[in-house]
Amino acid sequence: MTFARTTLRQKQKIVECAQLGKAVVTCFCQSSDDRGAIRKADVSVAMLNGSSEASRQEADLVLLDNDLNTLVGAIEEGRYLWENIKKCLAYCLVVNVTQLFPFLLFIIFQIPLTLGPITLLLVDLITQLLPTISLAYERPESDIMTRGPIDKFRDKLVNSR
């Protein structure tokens, strides 16, 4: 929804009501008088030209080219980075946990290590570097903009799955 020509009190009320309905609220800042709505909104956006200096300092995002299509591109890039970081972390955790297994056997059951620590580090470096880099540069999924926003309480970088 988009609202225009609202008073300061109406802006705050709109933000509060939308958040009660579990919506993610973005507030566009124009003047420093918008502070109440800006602080309550999930994301606040200011334009480089057309917004006061105080509102640009208060905003979470400042659009340098005054084009709202830039905001869509920024959201897409943020979601793409979030997904790639999750993939890289999941890969590194799975690989490193399996490599801890021989050390645990050595510590608990006194089974000797077949490779020394330095050799294992070199093997890790050689075998993990390229797959991790390739995950970081993976293309975004085609449905990335059809998904809902990331829930900051439910969606974590590392989860039990």
Side-chain angles (χ1 to χ4, degrees), residues 13-152:
K13 195 69 171 164
I14 290 168
V15 169
E16 290 170 359
C17 290
Q19 286 176 333
L20 284 175
K22 304 292 185 209
V24 176
V25 180
T26 301
C27 184
F28 288 92
C29 320
Q30 291 182 338
S31 69
S32 59
D33 296 335
D34 295 340
R35 277 196 181 126
I38 292 169
R39 287 189 178 141
K40 289 187 182 216
D42 297 307
V43 178
S44 55
V45 180
M47 305 280 193
L48 185 62
N49 299 325
S51 298
S52 69
E53 180 65 30
S55 65
R56 285 193 299 271
Q57 289 178 354
E58 191 76 32
D60 296 320
L61 297 170
V62 177
L63 299 180
L64 300 177
D65 61 358
N66 292 343
D67 184 10
L68 291 179
N69 290 326
T70 306
L71 188 59
V72 175
I75 292 170
E76 185 174 10
E77 187 72 19
R79 290 180 179 186
Y80 162 65
L81 288 172
W82 176 265
E83 290 298 320
N84 279 0
I85 289 171
K86 280 176 62 171
K87 289 174 189 173
C88 288
L89 275 175
Y91 172 78
C92 288
L93 284 174
V94 167
V95 169
N96 288 328
V97 165
T98 58
Q99 291 177 352
L100 273 175
F101 190 67
F103 287 107
L104 291 176
L105 288 175
F106 171 72
I107 292 170
I108 297 170
F109 299 114
Q110 301 298 316
I111 297 174
L113 293 173
T114 55
L115 297 174
I118 301 296
T119 310
L120 282 175
L121 285 173
L122 286 172
V123 169
D124 284 349
L125 184 67
I126 293 167
T127 59
Q128 288 185 23
L129 192 60
L130 289 177
T132 306
I133 290 173
S134 68
L135 279 175
Y137 287 102
E138 187 174 300
R139 290 271 165 245
E141 288 95 19
S142 59
D143 68 336
I144 201 159
M145 289 303 285
T146 60
R147 302 175 194 165
I150 297 167
D151 185 352
K152 60 185 172 186

